[in-house]
Amino acid sequence: MSSVFSDLDQSIAPLAPEFFYSNLRIQETLTTIRYGIEARRGLTIVTGAAGIGKSTLLCRAATDLAPNTICIFGSDPRVSFADILRLILRHLDGDPANGDEASMLRTCRLQLRERLDQCRLVALFLDNAHQFQDATLRSIIQNFLVGSAEDPEGTLLQLILAGRPEIRTKISR
């Protein structure tokens, strides 16, 4: 599994969607996110203090991506891995209503492979990732990144985690 990191520092003012002020550091972070997705690196982590503008930056990054990229957003840290699978399937026209976690995972992988065969990328943006349950993050990484990193075609799902700096420690566990 390969990953790309970008830190936002305190010198960046909070970003409001209607007033997006860019500077060199923001442009570097947007480029890092775009590169992580388009190069199919698998995992991109954006960290920064509370209120620095990570959420706005994720929205901006999604609008800057090529039209062949499907962007899925989640920010509720209370969700389970099964809830994440349902979210992905809803966006990929899958049927999240039927079955258990294992069948949803199989369907999700098939849907992701189908999108990849159509030259479409799928990016899952998880905001407030530092608050997500360890088990949920571990399941996402194990099921979508670790196994598919050895795939010669790369990862099926591009995962972008945004959160406070402690997300790095959480991921390294």
Side-chain angles (χ1 to χ4, degrees), residues 62-80:
T63 62
D64 289 348
L65 290 168
N68 71 323
T69 305
I70 300 167
C71 298
I72 303 169
F73 287 87
S75 64
D76 184 353
R78 299 168 295 175
V79 299
S80 66

Side-chain angles (χ1 to χ4, degrees), residues 13-96:
L15 303 171
E18 63 275 8
F19 301 107
F20 185 83
Y21 297 108
S22 186
N23 62 28
L24 181 59
R25 188 70 178 141
I26 289 172
Q27 287 305 314
E28 288 174 353
T29 303
L30 287 169
T31 300
T32 300
I33 294 169
R34 190 171 39 253
Y35 169 76
I37 293 169
E38 292 174 354
R40 297 185 46 226
R41 303 294 293 185
L43 177 63
T44 303
I45 300 175
V46 178
T47 62
I52 203 80
K54 296 176 298 294
S55 301
T56 302
L57 196 63
L58 291 183
C59 291
R60 181 58 181 245
T63 62
D64 289 348
L65 290 168
N68 71 323
T69 305
I70 300 167
C71 298
I72 303 169
F73 287 87
S75 64
D76 184 353
R78 299 168 295 175
V79 299
S80 66
F81 179 60
D83 294 327
I84 295 290
L85 291 173
R86 284 185 198 94
L87 176 68
I88 294 168
L89 287 171
R90 269 197 312 272
H91 282 82
L92 299 180
D93 300 324
D95 184 11

Side-chain angles (χ1 to χ4, degrees), residues 1-4 41-45 141 145 158-159 161 171:
M1 171 178 63
S2 97
S3 60
V4 181
R41 303 294 293 185
L43 177 63
T44 303
I45 300 175
I141 289 168
L145 302 181
Q158 306 313 305
L159 179 62
L161 300 178
I171 293 298

